[in-house]
Amino acid sequence: MKLTEVTDKKHIKEFLKVPHLIYKNDKNWICPLDSDVEAVFDPDRNAYFNHGEATRWILKDDNDKLIGRVAAFINQNKARTYEQPTGGMGFFECTDNQDAAFLMFETCRKWLQERGMEAMDGPINFGENDMFWGLLVDGYMEQSYGMNYHAPYYRKFFEDYGFYPFFEQVTNHLDVVKPFPERFWKIASRVAANPSLTFEHFTYQKADKYIADLKSVYDQAWVHHEHFTPLNIKDIQTGLEKAKPILDEELVWFVYHEGEPIAFLVMFPDINQILRHLNGKMHLLNKLKFFYYLKTHEIKRTRITVMGVVPKFQRHGIESGIFKKLREVFDRRPYYTEVELSWVGDFNLKMRALHEAVGGVLGKKHITYRKLFDPEAEKRRTKTVGPESLRMEA
């Protein structure tokens, strides 16, 4: 076998080709956009290069046939906040060949260890954890936008190599055609009737205001979270601009108490229901297809990506009031029939309870694994987060 670092356009093309070989007979796999994958490895498009580094490899067998790929990266802002300095590996794809898988794992380990790391998490992303994060171990269905899809045999590779579960991420699905539980409506109606509270959905006309409000709430809600880093305004602006073609303003909500922002929820239409027709490419013809499918309501599912409530107003049912507003939106948009509640870590007890309260049912599960380079080091899972956390992702 021959492992080659990706350094030119030919290597990039081969890196992007590997999953097509792995999943060529799997009808549930949806090819992510090539541009989304490449943006991760482009210093001009990924701000994580300002405080980190990344590299990637392709693997071929003795007959020069592609059989795998992998990437390794270090986010210096977070790596040394752990007991063991921890890097990451991801974008792992491999034929059903343990020797090949272990060779790629070892390559990532050595690369990270040479740079002072003592552990690696995987499969993760060189970026935020709302994209390309965690190993799919349950729910082999068409994934939503940004969610990893994997071959079932990958789990054995990770665990046999010595990775252990650092945390699990559960994604629940909500059938919005069905009514919410009666108890939920009582709480939601009470919250919505509170005269000191106002509810507003996002508008591009006041985008700067809402971006600032989102950052304000998020930074308060998550300041006590393990390995917390404040949101960056430019990152929010970049994400908003990227989402502009598909963002529905009435799916992003803010709550104010006497004019001060106290909560928000961000939900997007799941564009993977369109991307499944495009095979990862966004050339002119596929752009026309994209807007055709968008206009004809090909998208039936929405995905909640992030939600936050400032500590002072947690346990007040604020999130129930937001869901009441969303229920009214869905009544006006009957083509949306499902909400994906993505994705909550097993450490986030409050959000798990909320998923149950609104009638969510298990859709899929991903695991973020950790590999300690010292076999004598104690294996610890991520800490349980109390009711202050209201983020939908891990």
Side-chain angles (χ1 to χ4, degrees), residues 246-290:
I246 56 98
L247 187 142
D248 185 331
E249 293 181 341
E250 290 192 76
L251 296 182
V252 180
W253 282 87
F254 293 83
V255 185
Y256 299 85
H257 176 258
E258 297 179 350
E260 293 297 316
I262 64 168
F264 71 88
L265 177 147
V266 178
M267 177 189 292
F268 293 109
D270 179 16
I271 64 169
N272 253 21
Q273 295 189 311
I274 294 178
L275 298 185
R276 63 187 172 192
H277 301 292
L278 308 185
N279 201 33
K281 312 297 181 185
M282 196 56 88
H283 47 62
L284 178 59
L285 178 58
N286 276 358
K287 285 181 180 179
L288 295 175
K289 287 183 180 180
F290 182 92

Side-chain angles (χ1 to χ4, degrees), residues 206-222:
K206 298 190 290 184
D208 290 344
K209 170 190 181 306
Y210 290 122
I211 289 173
D213 292 346
L214 188 151
K215 175 176 170 56
S216 173
V217 173
Y218 180 92
D219 288 353
Q220 292 179 70
W222 281 81

Side-chain angles (χ1 to χ4, degrees), residues 171-242:
T171 297
N172 290 308
H173 290 190
L174 178 64
D175 183 350
V176 296
V177 177
K178 296 180 180 179
F180 287 177
E182 185 62 29
R183 179 177 177 276
F184 175 87
W185 278 120
K186 289 180 180 179
I187 297 172
S189 298
R190 172 177 55 80
V191 171
N194 187 333
S196 67
L197 299 177
T198 55
F199 295 77
E200 299 179 14
H201 67 76
F202 173 85
T203 66
Y204 274 100
Q205 288 181 335
K206 298 190 290 184
D208 290 344
K209 170 190 181 306
Y210 290 122
I211 289 173
D213 292 346
L214 188 151
K215 175 176 170 56
S216 173
V217 173
Y218 180 92
D219 288 353
Q220 292 179 70
W222 281 81
V223 68
H224 300 298
H225 191 276
E226 189 178 20
H227 312 298
F228 165 79
T229 54
L231 282 182
N232 183 293
I233 288 288
K234 288 185 178 180
D235 289 343
I236 303 173
Q237 291 171 333
T238 298
L240 183 62
E241 187 62 30
K242 179 181 176 182

Side-chain angles (χ1 to χ4, degrees), residues 17 28 34 89 105 139 204 220 248 278 371:
K17 182 180 179 181
N28 287 322
D34 292 349
M89 59 81 60
F105 291 156
Y204 274 100
Q220 292 179 70
D248 185 331
L278 308 185
K371 168 68 175 178

Side-chain angles (χ1 to χ4, degrees), residues 98-114:
Q98 180 175 283
D99 291 340
F102 281 18
L103 173 60
M104 290 189 285
F105 291 156
E106 273 292 289
T107 300
C108 291
R109 181 192 64 78
K110 291 177 181 177
W111 187 87
L112 291 168
Q113 202 162 28
E114 288 170 356

